[in-house]
Amino acid sequence: MLRVTDIRLPIDHAPNALHTAIAAKLKIAPSALESFTVVKRGHDARKKAKIFYVYTVDAAVTGEAAILAKLKDPHIRLAPDTEYKYVACAPQNFVRPLVIGAGPCGLFAALVLAQMGFRPIILERGKVVRERTKDTWALWRKNILTPESNVQFGEGGAGTFSDGKLYSQIKDPRHLGRKVLTEFVKAGAPEEILTEAHPHIGTFRLVTMVEALRKTIEKLGGEYRFKSKVVDLLLDNRRIIGVRLESGEEIASDHVVLAVGHSARDMFQILLDRGVAIEAKPFSIGFRIEHPQSLIDKAKFGASNKSLGAAEYRLVHHAANGRSVYSFCMCPGGTVVAAASEEGRVVTNGMSQYSRNARNANAGIVVGVTPEDYAAHGEGPLAGIALQRHWESQAFVAGGETYAAPAQRVGDFLAGRASTELGAVVPSYRPGVTPTNLSTCLPDYAIAAIREALTAFGRQIKGFDMDDAVLTGVETRTSSPVRVPRGADYQSINTPGLFPGGEGAGYAGGILSAAVDGIKLAEAVANSISAPTASG
């Protein structure tokens, strides 16, 4: 089998055109191409008048070695083996591992452990995904926040209420991302996620998939415990021996996966109190911006294009004050959602359904912050959390202290004046927005950098800095403000038996990368429990 990349065809190409193009690339007769499988399909829209699909395929032909020797083309090579290989089978009389958190990282750690026979116990502080959805909608529709059941906490993690992006820029030489996508398809995701360059699922499909994955884990011997908040780690001579729940119950285990997500602030405090190594790390803060999706489509494709769907963008600007500003978690045809998890604070995020057919496009426009910036809000590893809380509280006040979010027209923001009303772009955030001056909702250096960046982005995407585009605040949960250092064995550097991972521990940034990290944690746990050479 040969892997052939960079095959370009017009987006309206005939069904048999790909077969012909592969044969031409390999310099063989079309009849000599036995079969092929599309591995990836993206698009090149740099020239709007002529947009191409760009294919990667695996082609079955005879005489592979001769073709490779003859062509010496960097776009043609032997196809890699992408089938996942389990590292171990559960031995007799092992203590069941614990997985704290049922987001993408914890979910895949539990799934792979269950597939290897280790029967993990999953401890999730929130509720099952259907109940969690009701609580989340209560905030969006009725201004009622449930601190343990919301966009951040509950089955499926923060990624459940998002665009459902399933792509990442992580290095993946073992093709673990393929394992993740394959399991998602088994759980009900559309098969196209296996081939699209930028696959996404959307919130509604994620909900049913999370339920299906739970059922798979339970059939394999895994056990879920919802509304089971971990309030302490049990240690013996620095090694973990179990956890204590809020109910007072203690569960013994010498292998604990910590996959709590980037908003588990109380767990970060527990780690600090118990002497687990933890450190502050950079993250980003900013606002959500909304435009008509048609504006983005026109800028990227020349016009709306049903074949390509809603257009996306990715923008970066290095401001004069030394700050980097970039677009984050862009949601084509999506909505801005309330993502608070603590009372008296406002947090925004972006979400899309699979169809991506809502009127507006939205994205975070965020500025990098570093531990040096946290000094005004506290000291030590958790100072970044104090910074987040400060600006989330400011946003709550600016929004009217009802969980409405502060918002501002881009024209007013650039002019440095408060908005008293909004224009043609109707903000999608619920439970609603309050027109105001967003300069009170982020530090001065961030406001200055974003103002400069919006003008620069307007030169890259015509209309990006249009007066009626809407900024909504604040976006503070871009990534974890802490990292839990771990060694090559994926265990905490000073607390053996604790396996930190995913977004919360500072090792992932999105659904796919978190799930991949969960697989690595499962393998590390399995190798620690059983002999490294075990197979199954």
Side-chain angles (χ1 to χ4, degrees):
M1 191 77 72
L2 294 177
R3 172 68 53 89
V4 187
T5 62
D6 199 38
I7 300 173
R8 296 170 177 265
L9 292 171
I11 60 173
D12 58 352
H13 68 76
N16 65 341
L18 183 55
H19 185 283
T20 303
I22 296 169
K25 191 93 168 178
L26 296 174
K27 299 189 184 310
I28 59 175
S31 59
L33 177 58
E34 299 169 10
S35 64
F36 68 88
T37 301
V38 175
V39 176
K40 196 70 66 180
R41 186 186 74 169
H43 65 262
D44 184 345
R46 287 175 293 180
K47 295 181 179 179
K48 301 178 186 64
K50 198 168 186 180
I51 303 174
F52 292 93
Y53 280 134
V54 183
Y55 289 94
T56 295
V57 302
D58 283 348
V61 295
T62 56
E64 295 173 352
I67 291 173
L68 288 173
K70 178 182 178 181
L71 298 181
K72 297 181 180 178
D73 185 333
H75 296 294
I76 302 171
R77 57 188 174 88
L78 289 176
D81 180 4
T82 60
E83 183 178 355
Y84 181 71
K85 309 293 192 303
Y86 295 100
V87 301
C89 285
Q92 297 293 321
N93 302 319
F94 63 90
V95 178
R96 296 171 71 180
L98 304 180
V99 177
I100 306 176
C105 179
L107 185 62
F108 272 82
L111 176 65
V112 173
L113 282 168
Q115 289 171 336
M116 291 187 287
F118 287 92
R119 298 183 293 110
I121 299 172
I122 302 94
L123 303 174
E124 169 54 53
R125 67 192 293 167
K127 301 178 182 179
V128 295
V129 69
R130 296 283 174 177
E131 294 180 22
R132 174 195 180 196
T133 300
K134 294 178 182 178
D135 292 335
T136 300
W137 279 98
L139 174 60
W140 296 351
R141 292 174 173 172
K142 302 177 182 178
N143 302 68
I144 300 172
L145 173 67
T146 303
E148 296 297 333
S149 183
N150 46 61
V151 167
Q152 308 297 348
F153 299 137
E155 184 181 19
T160 305
F161 296 95
S162 71
D163 184 58
K165 296 176 183 65
L166 296 178
Y167 48 92
S168 174
Q169 295 181 332
I170 61 171
K171 293 181 179 179
D172 189 18
R174 295 177 53 210
H175 308 285
L176 298 181
R178 186 75 177 181
K179 164 72 170 172
V180 174
L181 297 180
T182 300
E183 294 294 349
F184 276 154
V185 170
K186 290 179 184 177
E191 289 194 14
E192 68 191 44
I193 69 170
L194 296 173
T195 56
E196 289 300 305
H198 290 147
H200 75 285
I201 298 177
T203 290
F204 288 164
R205 293 195 178 206
L206 279 165
V207 167
T208 58
M209 288 163 48
V210 165
E211 290 177 319
L213 287 165
R214 184 210 319 153
K215 291 177 182 177
T216 297
I217 292 168
E218 290 175 333
K219 286 181 181 178
L220 293 170
E223 177 184 348
Y224 274 80
R225 298 193 186 185
F226 292 101
K227 294 187 281 188
S228 296
K229 182 178 179 179
V230 174
V231 296
D232 205 358
L233 304 178
L234 307 179
L235 305 177
D236 180 18
N237 194 29
R238 292 297 331 148
R239 182 174 185 88
I240 196 159
I241 58 172
V243 302
R244 181 178 295 116
L245 304 183
E246 191 171 39
S247 64
E249 178 185 3
E250 295 185 355
I251 304 176
S253 180
D254 52 6
H255 290 80
V256 177
V257 172
L258 186 72
V260 294
H262 58 41
S263 294
R265 294 164 170 172
D266 45 10
M267 176 54 72
F268 301 146
Q269 184 66 56
I270 292 168
L271 296 177
L272 184 65
D273 293 343
R274 290 291 167 262
V276 177
I278 186 172
E279 60 191 26
K281 65 172 274 293
F283 62 103
S284 298
I285 55 176
F287 304 125
R288 279 269 148 186
I289 192 166
E290 291 189 87
H291 300 89
Q293 181 62 49
S294 58
L295 181 147
I296 305 302
D297 291 344
K298 183 177 181 180
K300 302 298 286 187
F301 300 149
S304 295
N305 189 305
K306 290 184 179 180
S307 296
L308 298 175
E312 304 175 57
Y313 59 79
R314 182 178 297 172
L315 299 167
V316 179
H317 175 70
H318 300 289
N321 66 1
R323 302 285 171 169
S324 292
V325 185
Y326 61 97
S327 59
F328 170 80
C329 186
M330 195 268 155
C331 297
T335 56
V336 180
V337 299
S341 58
E342 294 181 335
E343 293 179 346
R345 297 188 170 95
V346 163
V347 182
T348 65
N349 194 11
M351 185 181 85
S352 296
Q353 299 303 341
Y354 175 72
S355 61
R356 287 180 166 176
N357 63 359
R359 179 182 303 175
N360 292 349
N362 77 79
I365 301 296
V366 297
V367 181
V369 292
T370 68
E372 288 72 25
D373 297 315
Y374 311 160
H377 302 279
E379 297 180 355
L382 307 187
I385 295 173
L387 180 148
Q388 289 177 323
R389 283 173 165 159
H390 173 80
W391 295 111
E392 291 167 12
S393 297
Q394 289 290 103
F396 182 75
V397 172
E401 301 185 351
T402 64
Y403 294 107
Q408 190 172 14
R409 293 171 63 249
V410 164
D412 292 332
F413 178 76
L414 293 176
R417 60 175 177 260
S419 289
T420 57
E421 59 183 5
L422 300 177
V425 179
V426 179
S428 59
Y429 178 93
R430 296 292 178 269
V433 303
T434 301
T436 186
N437 189 342
L438 285 174
S439 65
T440 65
C441 299
L442 286 181
D444 290 344
Y445 58 78
I447 296 295
I450 292 173
R451 281 187 177 136
E452 182 183 319
L454 290 177
T455 301
F457 294 160
R459 293 191 291 269
Q460 298 177 53
I461 296 178
K462 186 177 180 180
F464 197 89
D465 55 349
M466 63 183 285
D467 285 351
D468 280 358
V470 176
L471 292 167
T472 306
V474 289
E475 176 103 12
T476 51
R477 310 284 181 92
T478 54
S479 68
S480 181
V482 303
R483 178 174 286 108
V484 186
R486 66 190 186 191
D489 59 0
Y490 289 85
Q491 299 184 51
S492 162
I493 59 172
N494 73 340
T495 308
L498 183 67
F499 295 77
E503 287 206 38
Y507 293 99
I511 294 172
L512 186 65
S513 60
V516 166
D517 202 52
I519 295 173
K520 294 176 180 178
L521 292 176
E523 293 176 340
V525 169
N527 281 330
S528 178
I529 292 174
S530 58
T533 56
S535 61

